[in-house]
Amino acid sequence: MGAAGIPAGQSGLGKSTMVNTLFKSKVSRKASQPSQEERIPKTVQLQSITHVIEEKGVKMKLTVTDTPGFGDQINNENCWDPIIKYINEQYEKYLREEILITRKRKIPDTRVHGCVYFVPPTGHWLRPLDLEFMRRLSKIVNVVPVIAKADTLTLEERAEFKRRIQEDLKTHAISVYPQEDFDQDPDDRVLNDRIREKIPFAVVGADQEHQVNGKRVLGRKTKWGIIEVENPAHCEFPLLRDLLIRSHLQDLKDITHNVHYESYRVRRLNESNGPALSPLNGLPGKGEGGSDL
Amino acid sequence: MVVGESGLGKSTLINSLFLTDLYPERIIPGAAEKIERTVQIEASTVEIEERGVKLRLTVVDTPGYGDAINCRDCFKTIISYIDEQFERYLHDESGLNRRHIIDNRVHCCFYFISPFGHGLKPLDVEFMKAIHNKVNIVPVIAKADTLSLKERERLKKRILDEIEEHGIKIYHLPDAESDEDEDFKEQTRLLKASIPFCVVGSNQLIEAKGKKVRGRLYPWGVVEVENTEHNDFLKLRTMLITHMQDLQEVTQDLHYENFRSERLKRGGRKIEDEEVNKDQILLEKEAELRRMQEMIARMQAQMQMQMQSGEGDSSAVHGHHV
């Protein structure tokens, strides 16, 4: 049993640290580390790391593909292309396996089940770049937006920012996970409504441990206090973790398989005019980038 | 002038510095409005008093900077504004009545660098290089409460390295004179070593350790704006007040003179243009006069010829009326 996720967003928003926090372990890097504190250098290419985690007695393989930050340049048009390309490549891989005459019983699944989009904590509204990125991504993958580095917002600012983001998403018809359209029954709806009220989760990432009240906790130490990452009174990281790994993991996979993958498959088969695919040049369908999405 | 992306804490910092609310009816625009917007220039004036000295400051805000997906043209508006102020001063300075020249030139530009990144972004570098010969740049990192002290030191060093690497000229505080007292010298040393300033802004009063302080209240503690262990706000404020005069002088002696010599070398459009035009007009008019005189002479010659050849031919004379 396995699942795959991708964090996405501008440079320096704590994506790599968040991946570490999720696994409570270190992503191996090419650069050498300074001795004292493990500093996270800038991610420059897509890096996948797989871990076996255990949840309720069930062992699970979780793969996270860390991405370099996008949106740093002066002209950021099309900065979303590399991630979209990566996601479609995974669908393509699965499709090829699926249409083989003699195919494997268990098709290796590297498809992306969730994309966590990091929104910078400006406190204002979503920026044009955020809107554009999420709009395109949400059409091909489950997008879970989070407010990154939320330790810069007071609780009131957080609530106000969330309200504005929710409004923005609704105004621009961007459908983020959990999507209302896919609620299966009234119970589902109630559960998901409660989550939808809290999206985007305000998270803080940390891979350092500190001593607080006799316990060792993951957190950030500052002159005015220690921000405990796993303390729900401080930040919503536990909510994110539970959603992704515990409560909604199967749902994320189901929607990916039944909705996003199927859309991709239909598009591809329509393009090639028939079930037998001709050898491609590696890139997924030409029309996926802009027009029919 | 205050420049930086939206949401970096510019307005809050300005309000904190001047203990005021410069933007009481402010509505923060959403992304839909930002998509088509170009960079705006908004100037507000505030008066502050520090140690018995009254200062009238104009804060020039630049909403829209860095908001678009493609920011290629976003600093043209700002550069035009700076140049316009220089142009106006140049014009006034060359006028007849020079006693009441209003100085609207930009003396200092606070450039806000994001605390969330890994250092300077390409836009930061491009912008600062475009204005470092026109205005004093003071780089500032706001929302510093998102960084631990170690992260701050690292970011500051990284930014200073990148500034040097790209040859960006930021404002340098002058060293204290040798006849100043030790305290002032020490203060100047500390200020110089803290650039870029990492600040936290706030005008909210929070109860902390039994007294009311300006700060931000988090579930894990209170960040105090005026606590030097928490951030560089007081240092920024001191720098601004103490070196206000130097900022003006450098603007006058360096940036303005730069602008002026460039302008006049290019053949100053506005000041010498009118004289050039007058000469040109005169020349043109003279040429035209000559042409008309030539034409009349030709016609007269023609008439002469006809009268001589057509002596006995009455119809010929009839047919030609000049």
Side-chain angles (χ1 to χ4, degrees), chain A residues 95-157:
Chain A
L95 183 60
R96 304 260 198 128
E97 292 281 343
E98 201 186 43
I99 62 169
L100 288 175
I101 297 172
T102 316
R103 58 189 185 187
K104 302 192 177 90
R105 281 217 30 218
K106 190 99 205 329
I107 300 178
D109 190 1
T110 56
R111 297 173 297 185
V112 179
H113 304 115
C115 173
V116 180
Y117 186 79
F118 286 64
V119 175
T122 59
H124 292 193
W125 293 84
L126 287 176
R127 302 161 306 152
L129 180 65
D130 298 326
L131 282 171
E132 201 48 40
F133 217 107
M134 282 199 277
R135 198 175 60 84
R136 287 166 185 264
L137 278 174
S138 61
K139 291 192 172 133
I140 60 171
V141 71
N142 294 321
V143 174
V144 181
V146 296
I147 299 173
K149 297 202 171 179
D151 53 343
T152 195
L153 297 168
T154 61
L155 294 178
E156 295 107 31
E157 288 165 350

Side-chain angles (χ1 to χ4, degrees), chain B residues 31 74 89-90 101 116 125 130 145 151 155 161 167-168 172 176 212 221 227 262 268 272 282 297 308-309 313:
Chain B
C74 78
Y89 194 86
L90 181 61
I101 302 180
F116 310 125
V125 173
D145 50 358
E151 287 165 347
L155 187 62
D161 285 345
I168 297 169
H172 287 293
K212 278 202 184 295
N227 182 335
E262 285 295 306
E272 293 161 0
L282 270 169
Q308 282 168 1
S309 61
D313 195 350

Side-chain angles (χ1 to χ4, degrees), chain B residues 52-310:
Chain B
V53 181
K54 275 209 175 74
L55 293 169
R56 200 170 143 271
L57 286 158
T58 304
V59 177
V60 182
D61 203 350
T62 53
Y65 175 84
D67 280 344
I69 295 182
N70 186 352
C71 293
R72 210 171 304 175
D73 294 328
C74 78
F75 37 93
K76 284 200 188 135
T77 319
I78 299 174
I79 295 183
S80 300
Y81 179 82
I82 297 175
D83 279 344
E84 259 168 54
Q85 310 314 309
F86 279 149
E87 186 76 48
R88 204 175 300 170
Y89 194 86
L90 181 61
H91 182 264
D92 289 348
E93 198 187 42
S94 323
L96 288 172
N97 186 352
R98 306 208 293 182
R99 225 174 301 156
H100 300 291
I101 302 180
I102 303 173
D103 187 2
N104 271 326
R105 298 171 294 185
V106 181
H107 301 112
C108 172
C109 173
F110 285 124
Y111 189 76
F112 281 68
I113 298 169
S114 170
F116 310 125
H118 291 273
L120 293 179
K121 292 194 199 159
L123 181 63
D124 298 335
V125 173
E126 288 305 307
F127 181 76
M128 286 200 275
K129 278 169 72 166
I131 65 163
H132 66 173
N133 283 322
K134 294 183 188 278
V135 75
N136 295 315
I137 300 179
V138 177
V140 173
I141 304 166
K143 295 202 172 182
D145 50 358
T146 196
L147 301 165
S148 69
L149 290 172
K150 277 212 190 93
E151 287 165 347
R152 260 184 231 177
E153 288 311 311
R154 229 186 277 141
L155 187 62
K156 281 192 193 188
K157 176 157 192 319
R158 178 78 179 260
I159 289 175
L160 287 173
D161 285 345
E162 285 174 351
I163 284 178
E164 199 182 308
E165 187 188 314
H166 288 102
I168 297 169
K169 297 177 224 164
I170 59 173
Y171 173 70
H172 287 293
L173 289 156
D175 288 317
E177 307 273 310
S178 48
D179 55 350
E180 298 276 4
D181 59 60
E182 272 310 309
D183 280 345
F184 187 76
K185 283 193 197 159
E186 183 57 30
Q187 183 194 76
T188 311
R189 260 196 294 266
L190 262 173
L191 285 184
K192 283 175 89 100
S194 305
I195 294 198
F197 296 120
C198 261
V199 296
V200 175
S202 172
N203 271 340
Q204 279 182 319
L205 288 172
I206 312 279
E207 182 100 25
K209 297 173 206 151
K211 46 181 186 132
K212 278 202 184 295
V213 288
R214 279 199 295 160
R216 291 172 61 72
L217 175 64
Y218 292 110
W220 46 85
V222 177
V223 179
E224 296 167 48
V225 168
E226 288 173 351
N227 182 335
T228 49
E229 288 195 342
H230 288 189
N231 78 108
D232 296 334
F233 177 81
L234 286 179
K235 292 200 183 101
L236 176 66
R237 191 142 168 273
T238 307
M239 189 218 92
L240 189 62
I241 308 290
T242 318
H243 293 90
M244 179 77 62
Q245 181 135 3
D246 187 61
L247 284 165
Q248 286 178 310
E249 280 174 10
V250 174
T251 306
Q252 166 75 26
D253 299 338
L254 179 63
H255 301 298
Y256 173 67
E257 286 302 313
N258 245 349
F259 174 85
R260 188 177 168 276
S261 56
E262 285 295 306
R263 253 338 231 103
L264 298 179
K265 259 190 253 169
R266 270 189 286 138
R269 225 158 294 138
K270 286 208 180 125
I271 298 168
E272 293 161 0
D273 244 5
E274 287 136 333
E275 290 150 46
V276 170
N277 272 348
K278 271 194 223 133
D279 283 356
Q280 244 186 318
I281 293 170
L282 270 169
L283 281 167
E284 278 172 36
K285 286 244 167 350
E286 279 177 326
E288 205 182 292
L289 205 64
R290 244 177 287 128
R291 258 181 279 137
M292 293 206 76
Q293 285 172 334
E294 278 168 6
M295 207 165 82
I296 293 175
R298 256 185 280 131
M299 283 184 194
Q300 282 179 334
Q302 249 185 359
M303 262 181 73
Q304 287 276 5
M305 268 172 51
Q306 265 150 26
M307 294 218 317
Q308 282 168 1
S309 61

